[in-house]
Amino acid sequence: MTTIQKQTGNVLEATRSTTRRPPLYKVLLLNDDFTPMDFVVVVLQKYFAMNREQATRIMLQVHREGMGMCGVFTKDVASTKVEQVVAYARQHQHPLACVMEENE
Ligand code: TYC
């Protein structure tokens, strides 16, 4: 809660306002039976700035559990990452699925 001064005509009034943090979104990778493991590791390094070890750990989590988190971003950044990953996968004829979900 922040107290600010709001001017109504010539009168300065004290007003209380809450500043809301922007909602954040998780970017998730989904498992499938066809996308090669090495390709998923490259995607995680290329679009999510992971090193090979981190990328391998997330890829294996997705492979074993069906889904894994690549990161948490603002809406625009999350949506761009999803588009980039899906476009890159399609360019290489892989069915890799990447989605975003509001981070509650
Ligand atoms: N399940 C895939 C395989 O066995 C590997 C894979 C991992 C695919 C993660 C997608 O998001 C994924 N080749």
Side-chain angles (χ1 to χ4, degrees):
M1 199 78 86
T2 323
T3 304
I4 59 169
Q5 299 284 309
K6 188 183 168 193
Q7 190 166 0
T8 337
N10 291 323
V11 183
L12 274 180
E13 293 175 355
T15 310
R16 290 169 79 75
S17 77
T18 46
T19 42
R20 299 194 158 277
R21 282 172 289 116
L24 294 177
Y25 291 77
K26 296 179 199 160
V27 172
L28 305 168
L29 271 189
L30 308 184
N31 190 34
D32 67 73
D33 292 338
F34 304 103
T35 306
M37 290 184 173
D38 286 354
F39 183 83
V40 178
V41 171
V42 168
V43 164
L44 289 165
Q45 293 180 95
K46 187 173 167 71
Y47 295 105
F48 299 97
M50 294 183 194
N51 63 36
R52 203 173 160 79
E53 291 66 38
Q54 296 169 312
T56 301
R57 191 169 49 77
I58 301 297
M59 182 281 293
L60 285 173
Q61 190 197 347
V62 179
H63 177 70
R64 292 178 182 139
E65 296 172 26
M67 187 186 280
M69 195 177 70
C70 308
V72 178
F73 307 96
T74 57
K75 191 174 198 175
D76 284 0
V77 173
S79 138
T80 301
K81 302 248 179 227
V82 168
E83 279 177 20
Q84 289 174 328
V85 168
V86 171
Y88 186 65
R90 296 304 171 273
Q91 275 170 32
H92 294 267
Q93 286 82 48
H94 298 311
L96 183 62
C98 183
V99 297
M100 60 194 270
E101 173 183 277
E102 194 170 340
N103 198 24
E104 74 293 319

